[in-house]
């Protein structure tokens, strides 16, 4: 017990017992004389104190630890008798003697370490001044700043014999991306345009603001320089990295990338609302344990058409069952995102209009520390991509029907071009990380309702002697009725060293699995080349009696070195077997092989 605490206890004891002093008899006072603590060194020296007494331990501590006790000359303590003021004074005096001794000792110690104490006092004064400056300079008492900088150095090599990415000219013909019909092949064209080694960055500054301790106002500032990089999805959508930002306004411009407010509703519900939010950031359950954050397609849980990362004006509600920590739980979430929700023109955007480009994403699932089982459905409006990442054939915008969403004011959800997208996911991870990896499997399937376009009669047939192309080409998105995808991801955490990780993922990104017209006539009557050129050069683009041939396999390998708590370095390689999908002509090939080193700094 510290000296000042002993003094307080003694004073308190005196204040409590003083009113009882009037009860003491004068005969007791005459027989009383203080006994020094030097004379009493053991509680057994009091003949009337027994181990069975309720205060025995307290008296024993006073004698042995503090020497703070007084009794009668005849060797008794008389613990059951009332205490007089004289007796209380004698007891207090005995305790104060010990306090004085302790104080003198402390003084000697203070004098001996005077220099060291002066240094410590100086440091404390300096720290207090710095804290004062920080408090005066801070921009908010409710906001914390977090950041992440990602450096990517890498390149892609293109192979195969296919022509470069194609576009349709006014007559419907498919031509190489340079607008000519020369003999330059895909591989040469792509290597010439996108084959250089590049160095890019992605910078994210997160402002996390809480007003109640349970809510979150999230603001993310973002910049990058991926506008002209192959890792921004050029020339194939599947080459895009998850952390590759091409700012609006050009490279190195800072954009507001996220802005939303997240708050609890009761004990089990959470709501999200904001003008710049993403549907996959408002899920009840993350359906995967594979978290490489390299190729964007492998961050979409094997179902890019369902988990399409739609971003814009958003409203979401999340429910999570309240259970003890570490126990499995049920959860569900639903969200609506309008990428064009910032427009006041109903023909070009708005919220809940035919031109919103809206997405409804609903997920239900069951999860625990080692597993996750989820099912999800997303309804996608017209003017949205069929799939965020897929073959060039599948990664096209789903148009609205004629006159809807393009001219005039359209009624709510009146466009008949839409998609229903479904996803099933199962993930498992071991209790202890090491040689056994986590497994994350995802599957997606989509049903497309497309608008018919000019040239069809009620049965979808036009006269075969028409002088214009009567049937839609495979390149027309309105011919697509079904999409599919799947992915398996393996990840080894703490492999070879604590904090390091390795991973491998492969699968088929979104590809077209059904068309409204499978056996289409070859185009003819093109200006400047005639039917022979169209048949010899573009034959595989149009005639496929057995259905679409849009398959493509994607692979990704990586190992992350955790250099420190805030720095990691991840070398990675990846391969795309046929990214052009259905646009690959019969007898032709195309592929892409790439590698990069990604360095992340978190602060």
């Amino acid at each position: 017990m510290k000296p000042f605490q002993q003094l307080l206890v003694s004073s308190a004891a005196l204040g409590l017992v003083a009113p009882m002093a009037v009860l003491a008899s004068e005969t007791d006072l005459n027989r009383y004389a203080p006994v020094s603590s030097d004379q009493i060194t053991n509680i057994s020296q009091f003949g009337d104190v027994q181990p069975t007494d309720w205060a025995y331990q307290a008296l024993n501590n006073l004698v042995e630890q503090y020497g703070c006790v007084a009794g009668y000359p005849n060797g008794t303590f008389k613990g059951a008798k009332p205490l007089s003021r004289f007796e209380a004074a004698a007891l207090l005096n005995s305790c104060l003697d010990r306090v004085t001794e302790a104080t003198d000792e402390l003084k000697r110690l203070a004098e001996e370490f005077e220099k060291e104490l002066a240094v410590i006092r100086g440091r404390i004064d300096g720290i207090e001044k710095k804290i004062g400056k920080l408090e005066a300079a801070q921009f908010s008492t409710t906001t914390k700043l977090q950041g992440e900088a990602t450096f990517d150095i890498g390149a892609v090599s293109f192979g195969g014999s296919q022509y470069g990415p194609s576009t349709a000219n006014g007559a419907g013909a498919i031509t190489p991306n340079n607008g000519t019909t020369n003999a330059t092949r895909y591989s040469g064209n792509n290597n010439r345009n996108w084959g250089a080694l590049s160095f890019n960055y992605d910078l994210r500054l997160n402002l996390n603001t809480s007003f109640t301790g349970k809510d979150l106002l999230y603001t993310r500032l973002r910049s990058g320089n991926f506008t002209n990089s192959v890792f921004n999805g050029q020339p194939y959508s599947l080459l895009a990295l998850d952390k590759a930002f091409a700012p609006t306004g050009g490279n190195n411009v800072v954009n507001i990338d996220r802005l939303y407010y997240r708050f609890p509703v009761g004990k089990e519900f959470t709501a999200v609302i904001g003008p710049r939010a993403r549907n996959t950031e408002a899920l009840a359950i993350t359906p995967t344990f594979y978290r490489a954050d390299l190729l964007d397609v492998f961050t979409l849980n094997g179902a890019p058409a369902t988990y399409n990362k739609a971003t814009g004006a958003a409203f979401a509600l999340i429910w999570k069952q309240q259970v003890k920590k570490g126990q499995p739980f049920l959860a569900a979430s639903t969200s609506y995102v309008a990428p064009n929700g910032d427009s006041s023109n109903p023909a070009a955007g708005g919220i809940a209009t035919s031109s919103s480009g809206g997405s409804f994403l609903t997920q239900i699932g069951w999860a625990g520390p080692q597993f996750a089982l989820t099912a999800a459905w997303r309804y996608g409006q017209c003017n949205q991509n069929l799939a965020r990442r897929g073959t060039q054939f599948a990664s096209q915008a789903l148009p609205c029907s004629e006159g809807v969403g393009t001219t005039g004011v359209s009624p709510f959800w009146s466009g008949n071009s839409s998609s229903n997208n479904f996803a099933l996911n199962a993930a498992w991870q071991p209790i202890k990380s090491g040689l056994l990896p986590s497994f994350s499997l995802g599957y997606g399937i989509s049903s497309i309702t497309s608008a018919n376009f000019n040239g069809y009669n009620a049965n979808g047939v036009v006269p075969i002697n028409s002088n214009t192309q009567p049937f839609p080409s495979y390149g027309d998105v309105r011919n697509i009725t079904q999409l599919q995808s799947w992915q398996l991801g393996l990840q080894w955490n703490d492999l070879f060293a604590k904090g390091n990780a390795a991973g491998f993922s492969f699968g088929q990104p979104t590809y077209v699995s059904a068309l409204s017209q499978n056996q289409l006539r070859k185009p003819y009557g093109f200006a400047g080349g005639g039917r022979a050129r169209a048949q010899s050069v573009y034959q595989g683009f149009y005639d496929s009696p057995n259905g679409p041939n849009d398959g493509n396999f994607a692979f990704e390998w990586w190992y992350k070195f955790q250099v420190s708590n805030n720095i990691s370095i991840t070398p990675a390689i990846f391969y795309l077997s046929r990214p052009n999908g259905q646009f690959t002509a019969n007898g032709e090939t195309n592929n892409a092989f790439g590698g990069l080193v990604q360095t992340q700094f978190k602060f």
Side-chain angles (χ1 to χ4, degrees):
M1 184 178 292
K2 295 180 180 179
F4 72 89
Q5 291 176 319
Q6 297 173 3
L7 180 59
L8 289 175
V9 171
S10 301
S11 301
L14 179 59
L16 288 173
V17 300
M20 296 187 291
V22 296
L23 300 178
S25 66
E26 294 184 4
T27 56
D28 289 333
L29 295 177
N30 294 332
R31 294 195 308 266
Y32 178 80
V35 179
S36 170
S37 60
D38 294 335
Q39 296 173 303
I40 301 298
T41 59
N42 193 290
I43 192 65
S44 62
Q45 292 178 253
F46 290 118
D48 60 344
V49 177
Q50 303 298 324
T52 55
D53 291 334
W54 67 272
Y56 180 86
Q57 189 60 47
L59 291 171
N60 188 55
N61 290 341
L62 284 172
V63 173
E64 294 185 355
Q65 294 185 24
Y66 306 110
C68 181
V69 70
Y72 291 90
N74 61 1
T76 60
F77 186 73
K78 298 185 183 298
K81 294 182 65 64
L83 184 69
S84 70
R85 292 174 63 87
F86 288 109
E87 291 169 328
L91 177 62
L92 179 59
N93 182 68
S94 175
C95 292
L96 288 176
D97 287 341
R98 304 298 297 169
V99 171
T100 303
E101 293 176 10
T103 303
D104 292 339
E105 184 179 351
L106 289 175
K107 288 181 180 179
R108 288 195 300 271
L109 289 172
E111 291 174 357
E112 183 177 351
F113 293 98
E114 181 178 3
K115 293 182 179 180
E116 289 80 0
L117 290 173
V119 173
I120 293 174
R121 281 194 297 267
R123 290 180 179 177
I124 292 174
D125 291 341
I127 292 173
E128 289 178 346
K129 289 181 181 179
K130 290 181 180 179
I131 292 174
K133 290 181 179 179
L134 288 174
E135 290 178 345
Q138 66 182 353
F139 66 91
S140 173
T141 58
T142 60
T143 302
K144 293 182 179 180
L145 172 65
Q146 296 176 334
E148 180 182 87
T150 302
F151 294 173
D152 290 300
I153 302 177
V156 177
S157 176
F158 300 91
S161 57
Q162 181 71 34
Y163 275 98
S166 303
T167 57
N169 64 21
I174 304 298
T175 60
N177 68 344
N178 60 3
T180 67
T181 57
N182 59 34
T184 303
R185 297 294 185 180
Y186 258 137
S187 56
N189 220 20
N190 287 336
N191 284 321
R192 182 186 63 195
N193 295 334
W194 305 102
L197 179 71
S198 63
F199 190 175
N200 304 101
Y201 78 91
D202 183 306
L203 176 65
R204 306 179 183 195
L205 300 177
N206 307 313
L207 300 174
N208 301 309
T209 303
S210 180
F211 305 101
T212 66
K214 297 181 180 180
D215 61 342
L216 173 65
L217 175 62
Y218 181 65
T219 307
R220 185 162 81 184
L221 308 179
R222 192 174 181 186
S223 187
N225 65 346
F226 282 86
T227 300
N228 300 312
S229 173
V230 68
F231 296 119
N232 191 37
Q234 300 289 346
Y236 301 123
S237 169
L238 291 171
L239 291 173
L241 298 178
D242 172 57
K243 295 181 179 178
F245 189 59
T248 301
N251 284 341
N252 309 314
V253 175
V254 178
N255 290 176
I256 302 293
D257 188 47
R258 296 286 190 280
L259 181 60
Y260 60 80
Y261 184 55
R262 185 184 184 107
F263 57 95
V265 180
K267 294 183 178 180
E268 295 188 339
F269 287 89
T270 301
V272 179
I273 182 172
R276 189 70 180 166
R278 176 168 283 180
N279 58 6
T280 52
E281 295 172 355
L283 294 175
I285 297 173
T286 301
T288 182
F289 293 124
Y290 183 79
R291 298 183 178 93
D293 297 333
L294 293 167
L295 287 181
D296 186 52
V297 65
F298 289 123
T299 69
L300 301 172
N301 312 316
T306 304
Y307 296 108
N308 72 331
K309 294 185 178 180
T311 306
F315 308 86
L317 188 64
I318 305 167
W319 170 78
K320 182 178 179 181
Q321 181 186 19
Q322 294 296 303
V323 298
K324 292 182 179 180
K325 187 177 181 180
Q327 296 297 313
F329 62 90
L330 297 171
S333 62
T334 186
S335 65
Y336 166 70
V337 177
N340 304 323
D342 56 350
S343 174
S344 297
N345 182 357
I351 297 175
T353 70
S354 295
S355 300
S356 299
S359 283
F360 284 101
L361 175 58
T362 298
Q363 183 202 60
I364 59 173
W366 182 42
Q370 281 190 265
F371 72 94
L373 297 172
T374 62
W377 163 74
R378 184 184 72 85
Y379 172 81
Q381 228 181 326
C382 57
N383 284 336
Q384 269 214 357
N385 282 351
L386 287 176
R388 179 177 174 89
R389 302 297 172 202
T391 65
Q392 292 300 100
F393 187 23
S395 299
Q396 302 179 74
L398 184 64
C400 295
S401 58
E402 275 190 36
V404 178
T406 54
T407 59
V409 178
S410 304
F412 181 58
W413 307 130
S414 61
N416 64 351
S417 296
S418 60
S419 63
N420 286 280
N421 311 275
F422 304 89
L424 294 174
N425 291 85
W428 176 87
Q429 66 179 356
I431 297 177
K432 294 183 179 180
S433 55
L435 295 179
L436 189 63
S438 63
F439 296 85
S440 300
L441 179 64
Y443 169 75
I445 186 170
S446 303
S447 175
I448 312 300
T449 302
S450 301
N452 290 333
F453 52 95
N454 295 335
Y456 283 100
N457 59 22
N459 297 320
V461 178
V462 296
I464 61 174
N465 59 355
S466 172
N467 291 325
T468 61
Q469 184 181 347
F471 292 95
S473 73
Y474 278 116
D476 198 311
V477 67
R478 290 168 292 187
N479 195 34
I480 299 173
T481 59
Q482 187 184 85
L483 306 170
Q484 293 189 59
S485 61
W486 63 272
Q487 170 189 331
L488 175 62
L490 309 178
Q491 182 165 328
W492 292 262
N493 293 324
D494 297 329
L495 187 63
F496 303 132
K498 184 73 173 179
N500 291 3
F504 167 61
S505 187
F506 68 98
Q508 285 187 281
T510 305
Y511 65 95
V512 177
S513 54
L515 299 169
S516 60
Q517 298 287 330
N518 280 325
Q519 188 168 6
L520 306 181
R521 296 179 183 275
K522 300 179 179 66
Y524 58 91
F526 294 118
R531 181 176 179 180
R533 179 180 64 81
Q535 286 180 325
S536 61
V537 177
Y538 305 113
Q539 180 178 3
F541 284 63
Y542 297 90
D543 196 0
S544 183
N546 297 321
N549 182 22
D550 196 41
N552 164 69
F553 288 90
F555 303 84
E556 177 181 81
W557 300 264
W558 55 273
Y559 186 84
K560 182 178 73 172
F561 297 91
Q562 194 67 44
V563 180
S564 69
N565 291 337
N566 303 98
I567 302 175
S568 65
I569 300 176
T570 306
I573 58 175
F574 49 86
Y575 176 74
L576 307 176
S577 69
R578 196 168 173 264
N580 216 36
Q582 182 66 50
F583 287 150
T584 306
N586 287 344
E588 304 286 351
T589 60
N590 76 301
N591 55 68
F593 177 80
L596 60 86
V597 176
Q598 184 176 92
T599 305
Q600 289 186 331
F601 306 87
K602 295 184 178 181
F603 51 92

